[in-house]
Amino acid sequence: MEKTRKKTTSLMVLILIAASVGIFIILPMYQTNSTSDNGSPLTNEEKLEQTLKAMEGVGKVKVYFYYGEMTDDQNANKLFSQYFRGTEQGTKNVTGMLVVSEGASDIFVKNEIRAVVSQVMQLPIHRIIIVPMENKEEK
């Protein structure tokens, strides 16, 4: 019975990751000239925040990028990371991230966010920090 439970849990995690990756593939197709409420173009962090909010269980989210050294060359095959980083040459590479999410207190949601962000941003998992958002209503 314990073996069946582990298989079911593993299968559910894989399905959640696959669904999340599907969101990242489909969502950019429906976003044209994303702008914020005041009409200015969205920052890369805001684009990623909007996408993560669409994932089940994530809730409110805030994303902070850590930028490394300037680079002159971008890998043309990094489609998803270029969507969030921009495609111009000479842009700074994102070398680390902090994600603050309401749903991060749930270990499954936290792991899903980490896996999806790692794949989309092409960052190693150890470069992504995910913490729960403080719930001010509970205090």
Side-chain angles (χ1 to χ4, degrees):
M1 183 160 173
E2 181 68 29
K3 197 173 192 179
T4 304
R5 186 178 299 150
K6 286 182 181 180
K7 285 183 181 179
T8 304
T9 304
S10 297
L11 182 60
M12 290 178 65
V13 169
L14 288 174
I15 290 171
L16 287 172
I17 290 172
S20 300
V21 171
I23 290 171
F24 282 108
I25 292 171
I26 294 171
L27 192 60
M29 289 185 236
Y30 292 103
Q31 292 180 337
T32 57
N33 296 333
S34 299
T35 58
S36 61
D37 292 338
N38 62 6
S40 63
L42 292 175
T43 65
N44 294 335
E45 287 89 347
E46 290 169 334
K47 290 178 187 177
L48 183 57
E49 287 170 11
Q50 282 186 348
T51 306
L52 289 174
K53 285 178 191 175
M55 293 171 53
E56 185 176 343
V58 174
K60 291 181 185 175
V61 65
K62 188 70 181 156
V63 175
Y64 303 92
F65 289 171
Y66 172 75
Y67 294 95
E69 298 296 319
M70 293 291 287
T71 62
D72 293 329
D73 192 15
Q74 294 285 336
N75 184 345
N77 295 326
K78 296 182 179 181
L79 175 66
F80 293 122
S81 63
Q82 287 176 353
Y83 171 74
F84 291 110
R85 294 181 193 164
T87 57
E88 302 121 21
Q89 289 188 353
T91 59
K92 291 183 179 182
N93 279 335
V94 176
T95 58
M97 290 182 63
L98 169 64
V99 178
V100 182
S101 168
E102 283 182 329
S105 56
D106 180 346
I107 191 69
F108 292 110
V109 173
K110 185 175 185 176
N111 288 336
E112 181 181 5
I113 293 170
R114 181 174 285 125
V116 170
V117 169
S118 175
Q119 288 181 348
V120 170
M121 296 300 295
Q122 298 180 355
L123 288 173
I125 289 177
H126 71 274
R127 296 267 185 181
I128 302 166
I129 305 298
I130 301 171
V131 295
M133 187 176 283
E134 179 182 0
N135 190 348
K136 298 184 188 235
E137 294 174 2
E138 289 180 358
K139 290 187 176 185

